[in-house]
Amino acid sequence: GENVEQHPSTLSVQEGDSAVIKCTYSDSASNYFPWYKQELGKGPQLIIDIRSNVGEKKDQRIAVTLNKTAKHFSLHITETQPEDSAVYFCAASEPGGSYIPTFGRGTSLIVHP
Amino acid sequence: DVKVTQSSRYLVKRTGEKVFLECVQDMDHENMFWYRQDPGLGLRLIYFSYDVKMKEKGDIPEGYSVSREKKERFSLILESASTNQTSMYLCASSFRERPQHFGDGTRLSIL
């Protein structure tokens, strides 16, 4: 089955800095890569996703890049703000009817004012 | 907006009790999932269902069962609760291959 590794487990930055979270996956058949943000006391929420036919996707301060050859993808957050502090999860899934993603173990991002 | 509602935010039960965690979604999604979340281990899939009365085991089904009698409701059952089942439990739903929508979780403590 699929295996997703996520690094770092904890990331501490100053407000205004950029933050990068990296994930690798093992199954070359995986073609969909969502990123979720989990705020304290809440469930994970989708913030951005990318499919394997695209190398990069941006949404305001958030971007995701995908390198299919190397089987890794990354989340980039620019101009970080304290409200970006949360746990971030990457995931990978193969084509299929039930869409069952395999999640990374999560990155706790702390943005210091 | 999709709403996934878990019936309890916090629950305290005793070892050996039968425990029911309930989840309801309001968007007519076919797929529903139960995960447990533990520090450093991320989200681990317990069971999922892709239709009424259908269920499939996830990665860690031991000690759990599920029930899906109606499309909008997916229940997780701990037949005989044990202390190692103390955890955060997350329910999610999705439509076909669209992304999952999560509830806010139930923090379950087994004493």
Side-chain angles (χ1 to χ4, degrees):
Chain A
E2 174 68 278
N3 182 48
V4 177
E5 300 280 344
Q6 182 172 349
H7 298 280
S9 56
T10 306
L11 180 58
S12 184
V13 301
Q14 288 296 128
E15 183 177 359
D17 288 350
S18 294
V20 180
I21 302 170
K22 299 182 179 182
C23 291
T24 61
Y25 62 100
S26 61
D27 190 342
S28 56
S30 290
N31 67 347
Y32 178 67
F33 307 91
W35 286 88
Y36 288 85
K37 175 183 181 182
Q38 185 178 25
E39 297 176 339
L40 201 60
K42 299 282 189 181
Q45 287 204 334
L46 180 76
I47 54 170
I48 196 167
D49 56 8
I50 192 168
R51 295 194 180 272
S52 58
N53 58 348
V54 175
E56 183 176 357
K57 184 176 179 180
K58 285 184 182 179
D59 183 3
Q60 299 182 344
R61 295 185 297 107
I62 292 173
V64 58
T65 59
L66 171 65
N67 183 326
K68 284 182 62 181
T69 304
K71 289 191 280 190
H72 66 70
F73 56 113
S74 300
L75 178 71
H76 305 253
I77 306 174
T78 58
E79 300 172 24
T80 54
Q81 301 168 3
E83 51 265 39
D84 294 330
S85 297
V87 178
Y88 291 81
F89 291 98
C90 64
S93 71
E94 306 170 44
S98 294
Y99 174 68
I100 304 170
T102 299
F103 286 89
R105 294 194 175 192
T107 296
S108 177
L109 174 64
I110 303 165
V111 181
H112 299 281
Chain B
D1 239 10
V2 177
K3 186 75 173 175
V4 178
T5 303
Q6 295 185 229
S7 55
S8 304
R9 292 300 304 272
Y10 301 94
L11 210 51
V12 180
K13 297 291 182 180
R14 297 221 172 262
T15 304
E17 279 193 68
K18 190 169 186 176
V19 181
F20 293 86
L21 302 184
E22 306 287 344
C23 175
V24 176
Q25 51 94 4
D26 65 357
M27 285 302 291
D28 202 36
H29 284 173
E30 304 151 332
N31 305 320
M32 296 190 75
F33 309 80
W34 276 106
Y35 292 88
R36 65 177 281 176
Q37 181 177 15
D38 300 290
L41 297 180
L43 303 175
R44 294 183 291 167
L45 182 64
I46 305 172
Y47 267 97
F48 67 97
S49 168
Y50 52 88
D51 202 353
V52 176
K53 297 192 185 293
M54 305 300 288
K55 61 184 179 183
E56 296 284 344
K57 292 180 180 179
D59 300 319
I60 52 165
E62 297 78 19
Y64 303 95
S65 63
V66 290
S67 173
R68 192 164 181 202
E69 296 296 319
K70 294 185 178 181
K71 192 174 185 180
E72 68 271 18
R73 187 180 297 271
F74 193 34
S75 302
L76 180 69
I77 304 156
L78 285 65
E79 295 289 344
S80 178
S82 63
T83 54
N84 62 10
Q85 292 178 310
T86 291
S87 186
M88 170 70 84
Y89 289 87
L90 289 165
C91 175
S93 71
S94 69
F95 176 69
R96 295 184 184 175
E97 295 184 355
R98 300 279 177 84
Q100 293 171 320
H101 296 263
F102 285 86
D104 285 337
T106 295
R107 187 165 292 282
L108 175 64
S109 296
I110 307 296
L111 305 179

